[in-house]
Amino acid sequence: MAGKYTPLSSTRSAFKSPILLFALSLLALSVLFLLFTRTPHSNRYSNENHYSSPNFKPETSFVASLEHFLTRKAPRSPPARDDTMRSEATDEDVKRLDDMVYRGDAERMIGDPYYPVNLPIRVYVYEMPSKFTYDLLWLFRNTYKDTSNLTSNGSPVHRLIEQHSIDYWLWADLIAPESERLLKTVVRVHRQEEADLYYIPFFTTISFFLLEKQQCKPLYREALKWVTDQPAWKRSEGRDHILPIHHPWSFKSVRRYMKNAIWILPDMDSTGNWYKPGQVSLEKDLILPYVPNLELCDTECLSKTESKRIILLYFRGRLKRNAGGKIRAKLVAELSGAENVVIEEGTAGEEGKAAAQKGMRQSIFCLSPAGDTPSSARLFDAIVSGCIPVIVSDELELPFEGILDYRKIALFISSSDAVQPGFLLKFLKGVSRAQTRELQRNLAKYARHFLYSSPALPLGPEDMFWRMVCFCVLLYP
């Protein structure tokens, strides 16, 4: 498998054939069946007893989880060495790895009746120098209370890092002791020849926002050389490597040299404003949701707030954005002053977060237009708040499409329709009470798929990501 992995293509044309759609549906069902049946029952739930106490509550706050990780779990001394190369791999190193992978695949093909199905996914996590990993996490932790640090458009830097902290959540789960992990879709291996995929644990978003430019660019170049010197990278030219670059500005100066890798993105940005042509595609990259800013409104919360949801449509955020986000100004012009509609300019800090949470929990529908890219963190805030998202973004690719049916939790309206005088409000008022309740019930069920946590939970976003990877490996071995 290693070196031959090609992610799933979700191209529209593939689904124009009913026969192909039916075949892919059967294959998807087979994936899920194998995912749950090939893992022995005793192993699948072996760690869950530890977390089965009624008082157990997973940590969903990035700041709190990071504090616990750094002060209690981070190694005080260098980690035990695996076979990560500390210098540039030679041609002989690459050939040696290639021969070992070939022998391993041949043995599995003969001895494993399910080959090339490979569950759990075996991931090799590079032991990168601490300047790419722990030092950056400590930098975030030690500067978190510096609220004066803002981006050019006024957004708090540390809050942006939290929204894009998927690299932390994935890595923290992968390197946790197996006795503390709940996910069985993925397992860490310590030898490169045993891996299906290779994870690059470089915190590109933290480095971009918290380092000075003269520090950041050299660090990016160092990370690029360090990774591309590895024999596994040289063997496949990076096609089986996972690179988290969840903020579209991060790793920008050198990422073109790693375009073969599997990028983890917030969306595909079909506008072309953030990624060069050919850098990202549905044929190799995967989407993970933003980390929600707001607290979960669970089933009990939804029941308590049902009668308090008196606002028809709610939006709080930046009213002016670039690229596809220009739709926001048009929507503001159309909706401002309408009855039962709240449109507010977003504000930073805890006060702004509290206002957004209160507003979403008082609203039936939450407007989710495009931002600077086709997606927005607001969509996932709405989902965990029990507020039905109204998505106005024509080019949006959503996380876990193919597993989740977003029509069960959200309404989709084209940009051209949404800005027509009176169209949007008439449409929303025409949604029946029964439809609204069904969407709200589904939101309560779907919310777990968007809540990152420590430990990572089955059916949480970390698990859903690896399930997507499993699905891709089956289709494109």
Side-chain angles (χ1 to χ4, degrees):
M1 283 283 215
K4 303 168 189 173
Y5 169 84
T6 305
L8 170 66
S9 169
S10 300
T11 51
R12 306 295 185 196
S13 58
F15 294 95
K16 291 181 179 179
S17 166
I19 296 175
L20 183 57
L21 178 61
F22 177 71
L24 289 176
S25 299
L26 288 178
L27 187 55
L29 290 174
S30 302
V31 172
L32 296 177
F33 174 77
L34 288 166
L35 192 60
F36 287 106
T37 56
R38 287 204 67 208
T39 305
H41 186 279
S42 59
N43 291 334
R44 192 187 310 158
Y45 301 106
S46 59
N47 298 337
E48 292 190 7
N49 290 336
H50 182 70
Y51 300 102
S52 60
S53 166
N55 297 323
F56 167 67
K57 185 178 180 181
E59 182 57 71
T60 57
S61 163
F62 170 61
V63 174
S65 176
L66 180 61
E67 180 71 18
H68 183 267
F69 176 82
L70 289 176
T71 57
R72 299 188 187 184
K73 291 188 175 183
R76 302 293 180 184
S77 57
R81 288 177 66 123
D82 55 10
D83 65 348
T84 297
M85 297 287 291
R86 267 62 186 182
S87 58
E88 183 175 359
T90 64
D91 291 343
E92 184 178 341
D93 294 324
V94 178
K95 184 178 185 305
R96 186 185 304 114
L97 174 62
D98 191 61
D99 289 343
M100 288 189 290
V101 171
Y102 172 77
R103 287 196 297 270
D105 282 352
E107 290 173 4
R108 287 159 53 204
M109 183 170 60
I110 295 170
D112 185 350
Y114 294 100
Y115 183 85
V117 175
N118 187 43
L119 302 173
I121 293 291
R122 301 173 305 176
V123 176
Y124 182 92
V125 182
Y126 283 121
E127 290 284 3
M128 297 186 74
S130 62
K131 60 185 173 183
F132 303 120
T133 56
Y134 291 101
D135 292 356
L136 293 171
L137 293 176
W138 277 108
L139 177 62
F140 176 92
R141 184 255 192 188
N142 293 336
T143 60
Y144 177 70
K145 294 183 179 179
D146 181 12
T147 55
S148 62
N149 195 349
L150 304 176
T151 65
S152 58
N153 62 15
S155 300
V157 162
H158 289 79
R159 181 60 55 81
L160 266 178
I161 293 171
E162 287 184 70
Q163 288 180 5
H164 294 278
S165 60
I166 59 97
D167 42 12
Y168 164 77
W169 295 107
L170 286 175
W171 183 62
D173 173 66
L174 283 171
I175 67 172
E178 200 60 32
S179 60
E180 297 179 11
R181 298 183 65 246
L182 295 177
L183 303 191
K184 296 303 172 185
T185 43
V186 60
V187 65
R188 182 185 184 185
V189 296
H190 294 273
R191 300 197 62 79
Q192 294 192 14
E193 70 268 18
E194 297 174 354
D196 299 307
L197 298 170
Y198 301 82
Y199 185 83
I200 303 169
F202 178 36
F203 294 99
T204 57
T205 301
I206 294 178
S207 55
F208 176 81
F209 282 110
L210 296 187
L211 294 179
E212 297 294 334
K213 186 178 292 186
Q214 60 267 32
Q215 296 174 295
C216 188
K217 286 190 174 183
L219 189 68
Y220 281 178
R221 290 193 293 269
E222 285 186 63
L224 171 67
K225 184 177 189 315
W226 193 96
V227 173
T228 56
D229 278 350
Q230 296 299 316
W233 179 279
K234 289 176 178 288
R235 176 180 178 270
S236 68
E237 296 183 335
R239 290 179 177 85
D240 48 10
H241 283 57
I242 296 175
L243 177 63
I245 43 175
H246 203 257
H247 192 283
W249 295 347
S250 62
F251 216 45
K252 196 171 183 180
S253 59
V254 300
R255 64 193 183 195
R256 65 185 179 276
Y257 301 111
M258 302 182 82
K259 65 180 181 180
N260 289 338
I262 303 156
W263 291 7
I264 306 179
L265 306 165
D267 59 45
M268 287 293 146
D269 180 35
S270 55
T271 64
N273 288 288
W274 303 107
Y275 305 110
K276 300 291 185 183
Q279 284 187 348
V280 299
S281 73
L282 288 166
E283 292 153 350
K284 75 175 185 71
D285 303 314
L286 291 169
I287 299 171
L288 266 179
Y290 289 82
V291 178
N293 283 320
L294 307 184
E295 295 175 9
L296 173 66
C297 186
D298 57 18
T299 305
E300 181 181 355
C301 167
L302 287 170
S303 177
K304 289 180 179 179
T305 59
E306 183 176 6
S307 61
K308 300 176 183 178
R309 293 184 183 269
I310 56 175
I311 299 171
L312 176 66
L313 181 63
Y314 179 80
F315 175 84
R316 181 183 177 86
R318 298 285 177 186
L319 301 182
K320 294 183 179 180
R321 283 303 210 188
N322 299 315
K326 293 178 180 178
I327 186 69
R328 293 189 183 188
K330 297 178 181 178
L331 289 170
V332 170
E334 166 61 20
L335 297 170
S336 291
E339 184 181 2
N340 258 3
V341 174
V342 174
I343 304 290
E344 300 175 331
E345 179 74 36
T347 54
E350 291 302 313
E351 185 178 323
K353 177 179 176 180
Q357 181 158 297
K358 180 181 178 182
M360 286 191 170
R361 293 188 180 187
Q362 290 180 335
S363 304
I364 300 170
F365 300 104
C366 282
L367 188 62
S368 181
D372 289 341
T373 64
S375 68
S376 165
R378 189 163 295 96
L379 168 62
F380 307 103
D381 287 341
I383 290 173
V384 301
S385 299
C387 187
I388 301 166
V390 179
I391 297 174
V392 183
S393 183
D394 298 337
E395 304 297 333
L396 180 62
E397 298 289 344
L398 292 162
F400 318 134
E401 281 191 90
I403 295 180
L404 301 182
D405 185 352
Y406 283 87
R407 297 171 302 173
K408 303 297 184 184
I409 61 169
L411 300 175
F412 293 83
I413 300 177
S414 70
S415 298
S416 58
D417 285 340
V419 297
Q420 294 300 314
F423 177 88
L424 186 55
L425 293 183
K426 182 180 179 180
F427 177 84
L428 295 179
K429 290 175 181 178
V431 179
S432 69
R433 183 62 184 147
Q435 287 176 289
T436 299
R437 285 179 175 172
E438 182 180 1
L439 288 165
Q440 290 171 334
R441 283 194 299 269
N442 290 335
L443 281 172
K445 297 174 184 176
Y446 273 50
R448 66 187 298 185
H449 304 314
F450 304 98
L451 286 173
Y452 297 85
S453 67
S454 179
L457 298 178
L459 297 179
E462 303 94 331
D463 190 33
M464 296 291 283
F465 171 76
W466 294 114
R467 288 170 188 252
M468 287 293 293
V469 171
C470 289
F471 182 71
C472 297
V473 169
L474 280 176
L475 284 180
Y476 294 90

